[in-house]
Amino acid sequence: MTRYLTAIYEGSVFRPLEPVEIAEQQEVSLLVETPDESQPEADTDMPIWEYAAQLMRDIPQDQLQALPTDGASQHDHYLYGAPKHP
């Protein structure tokens, strides 16, 4: 059984933040993901354009200028290698 849950690590123990249905002494595997402190929280009230600007702030200007400007109209070409259409 696979289930996603959140927990707090304290005193060398992972403490689930919600009830779990696991037998005592049951061995489980954990995948530990910690929030990236440099990225804003997904549930903030930040407008999407500000969030996008924050994600792009560390990209060098010359790399941004090298991106194609017809990505929306030619997405099949850039994603799948299809010929460009007029």
Side-chain angles (χ1 to χ4, degrees):
M1 171 180 78
T2 301
R3 181 172 168 207
Y4 178 82
L5 59 96
T6 56
I8 292 181
Y9 182 73
E10 59 185 11
S12 300
V13 174
F14 288 98
R15 183 174 55 83
L17 297 178
E18 59 192 56
V20 293
E21 296 177 14
I22 300 174
E24 286 294 322
Q25 304 298 315
Q26 173 74 42
E27 184 175 321
V28 298
S29 298
L30 299 175
L31 171 64
V32 178
E33 294 179 351
T34 56
D36 183 356
E37 300 298 329
S38 67
Q39 299 295 326
E41 294 278 334
D43 58 350
T44 63
D45 292 333
M46 183 184 302
I48 187 72
W49 55 89
E50 288 179 14
Y51 184 71
Q54 219 170 29
L55 291 174
M56 294 174 50
R57 72 173 176 239
D58 296 328
I59 301 173
Q61 194 64 31
D62 60 327
Q63 287 185 354
L64 285 175
Q65 291 174 345
L67 294 174
T69 57
D70 60 351
S73 63
Q74 301 291 340
H75 68 280
D76 283 349
H77 170 71
Y78 294 110
L79 292 175
Y80 311 116
K84 283 191 171 187
H85 57 79

